[in-house]
């Protein structure tokens, strides 16, 4: 991760686009990115975004990619939108993005407007079972609390996962499951 961020400092126009592509396809773990990000990385991104638009297509590509990187960082709370610096208030960008509240081994899950405490292990098990079902070709819409593998222990967790998938329809279901797992496990 640090090697990727260090390459950005060379200001290679196409590298910014490649880095942005990795971010947009969720191929970079945001928890690791937050740990590796240093103030100089954020300043470089800010400097490029604030620079005047160029007529050179390669330089324009770099500026567009830097702006998209900034948008992704703000979306996942990696940088603070107010001061444009690294967000020191969070430790897990996925938990911030999905608004997951975790206290030790308990996740507070708002299910149908009621906060229900879920044991972390049950939620992780439900995520794994959900992922296996999707891998077998089932659709997220077909999975619910009446699915054969759902037992009484993980029924609330399944409902919470379904709510997260519905709230983030702009993302692939497997991406949401990955983010949810990283938000809970990390």
């Amino acid at each position: 991760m640090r090697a990727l961020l260090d390459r950005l400092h060379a200001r290679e126009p196409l590298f910014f686009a490649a880095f942005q592509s990795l971010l947009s396809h969720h191929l970079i773990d945001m928890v690791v990115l937050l740990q590796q990000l240093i103030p100089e990385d954020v300043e470089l991104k800010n400097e490029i975004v604030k620079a005047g638009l160029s007529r050179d297509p390669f330089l324009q590509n770099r500026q567009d990619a830097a702006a998209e990187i900034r948008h992704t960082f703000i979306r996942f709370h990696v940088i603070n939108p107010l001061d444009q610096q690294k967000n020191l208030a969070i430790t897990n960008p996925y938990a911030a993005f999905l608004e997951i509240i975790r206290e030790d081994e308990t996740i507070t899950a708002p299910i149908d407007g009621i906060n229900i405490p879920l044991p972390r292990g049950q939620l992780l098990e439900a995520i794994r079972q959900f992922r296996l079902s999707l891998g077998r070709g089932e659709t997220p819409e077909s999975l619910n609390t009446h699915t054969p593998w759902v037992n009484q222990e993980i029924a609330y967790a399944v409902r919470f996962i379904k709510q997260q998938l519905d709230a983030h329809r702009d993302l692939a279901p497997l991406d949401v499951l990955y983010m949810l797992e990283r938000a809970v496990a990390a």
Side-chain angles (χ1 to χ4, degrees), residues 99-101 106-118 123 156-157 159-161 163-164:
E99 299 176 358
I100 302 293
I101 301 169
T106 304
I107 309 300
T108 303
I111 301 172
D112 299 329
I114 301 170
N115 287 334
I116 298 184
L118 291 177
L123 184 54
Y156 276 127
R159 289 180 65 194
F160 180 64
I161 293 168
Q163 281 184 220
Q164 287 292 328

Side-chain angles (χ1 to χ4, degrees), residues 126-163:
I127 292 168
R128 290 182 187 113
Q129 290 295 330
F130 219 96
R131 186 180 296 119
L132 284 172
S133 294
L134 292 178
R136 282 184 242 140
E138 296 183 50
T139 63
E141 294 79 23
S142 68
L143 300 172
N144 56 41
T145 55
H146 300 295
T147 303
W149 53 263
V150 177
N151 57 35
Q152 187 176 1
E153 289 180 350
I154 63 171
Y156 276 127
V158 169
R159 289 180 65 194
F160 180 64
I161 293 168
K162 291 279 291 182
Q163 281 184 220

Side-chain angles (χ1 to χ4, degrees), residues 38 41 44 49 51 57 59 86 101 122 143 161 165 178 184:
I38 59 175
D41 300 329
L44 172 67
V49 169
L59 295 179
K86 182 178 175 181
I101 301 169
Q122 289 178 0
L143 300 172
I161 293 168
L165 290 170
Y178 171 77
V184 172

Side-chain angles (χ1 to χ4, degrees), residues 65-98:
E68 283 300 315
I69 291 168
R70 176 184 171 274
H71 175 70
T72 302
F73 283 179
I74 289 173
R75 183 176 183 202
F76 283 94
H77 305 272
V78 172
I79 61 172
N80 187 334
L82 298 176
D83 64 3
Q84 300 295 312
Q85 298 302 313
K86 182 178 175 181
N87 192 349
L88 302 174
I90 66 164
T91 57
N92 189 325
Y94 296 122
F97 175 69
L98 297 173

